[in-house]
Amino acid sequence: MQTSANTGSMPAKTYINIGQIKSLGAPLALPETGGGCGTQGGEGKASCGSSDGPEDMPQAIWDKVKDHPCYSEEAHHHFARMHVAVAPACNIQCNYCNRKYDCSNESRPGVVSQKLTPEQAVRKVVAVASEIPQMTVLGIAGPGDALANPKKTFDTFRMLQEKAPDLKLCISTNGLALPDLVDEICKYNVDHVTITINMVDPAVGEKIYPWIFWNHKRLTGYEAAKVLHERQMLGLEMLTARGVLTKINSVLIPGINDEHLIEVNREVKKRGAFLHNIMPLISEPEHGTVFGLTGQRGPTASELKAVQDACMGGANLMRHCRQCRADAVGLLGEDRSEEFTLDKLEQMDVVYDLDKRRSYQEKVAVERQAQQAAKQDALAAASAIQTADDLQVLVAVATKGGGRVNEHFGHVTEFQVFEVSATKALFVGHRRVDQYCQGGEGDDAQLPSVVRAINDCHAVLVAKIGACPKDELIAAGVEPVDAYVGEFIEKAALDWFKDYSLRVASGSVVHQSRGDAQIRQGAYTNLASSVALAA
Ligand code: CLF
Ligand code: SF4
């Protein structure tokens, strides 16, 4: 799967800001094509996830998304995915991609440590699924394009259907080869397909794609982008007609396709996309990409959010993407691939324990019900208080999984960010950071970058925090809060918001707008812990 990340220092000039982009406004036309019930676009919810349940969609769709960490925001707190890097070749070139670059400390698409044969991949999947019962989805997302390597991709799926029949199969593609392979996709019951669509206008596309290889020829410029666009739209329509769930990934490239992504959202919604995932460009000179070398920057946190917010009213938005490596293993936001290298697999006794997996999943179902109930209670309490109509804040949360506030500030490699008001506690993104505490000691040099990552938040909810980071956060205007240890995140965020509103109403706190924050991508994720539930 493709993408990229970003950023050095905060840009002096921003291309867009919240409020500068108009929302989609009136409801969009219904899809003209197909209409597999599974693939009707969403109704423009701010994100697809936490509040979505069987009542929000047909049962058949709910069954497909409820345990998929990418298709359900709520599920991503509990369930894991893994990618197997069986697809090295690609049939196009994106200006944000360089697959030669690998670093085990980096987490971003296109990056892998070991390429696998289908046989090696199947052994790895069975080992991981036995060890990590919360792993419900197997995806092929590169390091090239899954469908530019059809034999390796479909051989892997064929073998897995026999060895691990309860796993959902998922694929990510640039879409060029998609129309030719829809039958194969359906044959192996792959019911989740991601297409990366960065433009619906070839004039925009030619700034992103220098060439494609199609029909035994290399095409360049406008012609290349036009063919790619037509193939992407055709592939999406064909999948919709077959009832395959589709997600569209778009890389937000400031100055190139930022406002254009609103049109992309509209067009993919029309063609039945279930989700739209708008991700920040990852662009550093050391990655050796065209964009990295030419100084094309990625968006800031508020620029990304502005485009996502402007797309509300179109396809459902995914906001919890972690721009995974093509060999990622674990919960989104953690990477346990180092535990399952080929040499370690050789030493493992692998038994596919279906009972253990089912038992974990039953525990999660109970936990999710409790989480929903706690959220509803907290919403009822928060909505009963008097707040200024527009009082709304961002709250960062330190969590190691299970949907709870359960991580120490110093151990965080990724904060989750929720938009909170009297009527909602909505996941709107995450911020990767370098871990502040190493070996029991706080690294003060890291602290400013951690604060910058959540600089747009009014509070940060943590399980524990030391005196030094506490003081720095307060000085920056971010309230550190350790009063909700172990509680469900949404309940904790709403309870804190209720308290904050009362303080604002009493005059003991003056509510002020926060600044922008820096998106730090490509951070080290191996240290992330596993989920809270015991297997
Ligand atoms: Fe992998 Fe992609 Fe399937 Fe998920 S990832 S193939 S849909 S199982 Fe998920 Fe990772 Fe984002 Fe992709 S967080 S990069 S959206
Ligand atoms: Fe890289 Fe190909 Fe994916 Fe583009 S489609 S990001 S060139 S692997």
Side-chain angles (χ1 to χ4, degrees), residues 1-4 87-99 109-110 141-146 148 172-175 196 198 208-209 211 228 251:
M1 189 176 303
Q2 29 308 112
T3 332
S4 50
C90 192
N91 46 8
I92 72 173
Q93 180 61 54
C94 305
N95 280 334
Y96 48 74
C97 180
N98 175 11
R99 299 189 304 286
D145 184 80
S172 172
T173 178
N174 60 46
T196 298
N198 297 318
I208 303 171
Y209 306 103
W211 56 260
L228 180 62
V251 180

Side-chain angles (χ1 to χ4, degrees), residues 2 21 29 32 34 68 115 176 185 190 204 225 236 252 256-257 267 277 283 288 343-344 360 380 449:
Q2 29 308 112
I21 293 178
E32 288 166 8
H68 195 307
K115 290 171 192 147
L176 183 63
I185 286 171
V190 179
V204 176
L236 173 57
L252 196 168
I256 291 185
N257 70 350
E267 291 301 319
N277 171 25
S283 185
D343 50 333
K344 289 181 184 154
Y360 175 84
S449 70

Side-chain angles (χ1 to χ4, degrees), residues 202-528:
V204 176
E206 67 178 326
K207 297 177 189 159
I208 303 171
Y209 306 103
W211 56 260
I212 69 169
F213 194 78
W214 189 64
N215 268 353
H216 312 290
K217 278 193 303 218
R218 180 178 288 228
L219 306 182
T220 58
Y222 187 93
E223 186 190 11
K226 183 165 181 291
V227 170
L228 180 62
H229 162 61
E230 288 167 356
R231 302 282 292 172
Q232 289 175 334
M233 295 298 118
L234 176 61
L236 173 57
E237 288 167 3
M238 290 171 76
L239 291 171
T240 297
R242 302 289 190 94
V244 178
L245 276 190
T246 49
K247 172 166 70 60
I248 306 307
N249 280 1
S250 299
V251 180
L252 196 168
I253 309 162
I256 291 185
N257 70 350
D258 35 18
E259 294 186 42
H260 181 64
L261 289 183
I262 301 167
E263 197 181 338
V264 171
N265 183 282
R266 187 180 288 123
E267 291 301 319
V268 301
K269 157 82 176 172
K270 264 197 236 171
R271 290 169 174 82
F274 179 75
L275 266 184
H276 190 194
N277 171 25
I278 299 174
M279 310 173 290
L281 172 71
I282 298 171
S283 185
E284 298 284 2
E286 59 267 31
H287 297 157
T289 63
V290 170
F291 281 154
L293 294 171
T294 55
Q296 171 63 53
R297 70 171 180 87
T300 66
S302 66
E303 288 172 328
L304 176 65
K305 188 169 183 297
V307 175
Q308 291 172 331
D309 289 350
C311 288
M312 285 164 66
N316 281 330
L317 294 176
M318 174 186 188
R319 302 202 196 212
H320 60 281
C321 176
R322 302 307 202 275
Q323 295 173 282
C324 315
R325 291 168 61 99
D327 57 3
V329 173
L331 291 174
L332 304 191
E334 71 174 4
D335 184 3
R336 299 177 60 180
S337 54
E338 282 296 305
E339 295 171 41
F340 300 96
T341 53
L342 287 175
D343 50 333
K344 289 181 184 154
L345 286 175
E346 298 271 305
Q347 319 288 324
M348 285 183 188
D349 251 350
V350 174
V351 181
Y352 195 76
D353 191 341
L354 202 53
D355 288 342
K356 185 174 163 191
R357 295 174 52 72
R358 287 199 176 122
S359 150
Y360 175 84
Q361 286 160 25
E362 280 161 17
K363 279 189 205 169
V364 168
V366 173
E367 183 85 347
R368 286 170 88 171
Q369 279 180 354
Q371 186 172 5
Q372 278 302 311
K375 181 180 172 184
Q376 292 313 319
D377 288 350
L379 270 173
S383 62
I385 57 169
Q386 299 289 318
T387 61
D389 285 346
D390 57 351
L391 188 60
Q392 172 169 291
V393 297
L394 295 181
V395 172
V397 179
T399 177
K400 56 185 172 187
R404 294 179 186 264
V405 180
N406 54 10
E407 185 61 288
H408 292 201
F409 177 85
H411 297 169
V412 170
T413 51
E414 172 193 292
F415 289 97
Q416 296 190 356
V417 177
F418 286 72
E419 193 166 68
V420 189
S421 71
T423 56
K424 66 171 188 275
L426 183 72
F427 180 99
V428 291
H430 67 281
R431 308 285 161 71
R432 286 177 179 166
V433 293
D434 289 320
Q435 192 168 314
Y436 163 67
C437 186
Q438 304 275 357
E441 293 287 325
D443 179 355
D444 291 344
Q446 292 293 3
L447 207 43
S449 70
V450 179
V451 175
R452 276 201 302 275
I454 56 172
N455 189 50
D456 52 348
C457 297
H458 278 78
V460 55
L461 311 186
V462 299
K464 201 169 179 185
I465 185 167
C468 178
K470 207 173 202 172
D471 291 346
E472 287 256 354
L473 285 163
I474 291 168
V478 184
E479 185 179 325
V481 182
D482 58 4
Y484 302 103
V485 183
E487 290 196 19
F488 287 121
I489 292 170
E490 289 96 339
K491 178 179 185 318
L494 285 161
D495 284 352
W496 174 83
F497 179 81
K498 184 179 162 198
D499 174 65
Y500 178 74
S501 308
L502 293 172
R503 284 185 279 148
V504 171
S506 72
S508 67
V509 167
V510 178
H511 176 69
Q512 289 180 326
S513 298
R514 300 286 308 144
D516 202 349
Q518 190 171 61
I519 297 176
R520 163 77 165 87
Q521 300 285 326
Y524 188 47
T525 56
N526 275 351
L527 294 176

Side-chain angles (χ1 to χ4, degrees), residues 149-208:
N149 303 261
K151 180 156 177 14
K152 290 175 181 160
T153 293
F154 293 115
D155 278 355
T156 306
F157 286 155
R158 179 177 46 73
M159 287 187 270
L160 277 174
Q161 275 192 325
E162 291 161 23
K163 303 256 183 194
D166 63 322
L167 283 182
K168 290 185 195 312
L169 302 179
C170 197
I171 216 170
S172 172
T173 178
N174 60 46
L176 183 63
L178 178 58
D180 302 331
L181 293 165
V182 167
D183 286 345
E184 286 286 285
I185 286 171
C186 294
K187 180 173 155 193
Y188 293 105
N189 293 326
V190 179
D191 53 13
H192 298 79
V193 175
T194 295
I195 315 170
T196 298
I197 299 180
N198 297 318
M199 54 86 198
V200 289
D201 175 354
V204 176
E206 67 178 326
K207 297 177 189 159
I208 303 171

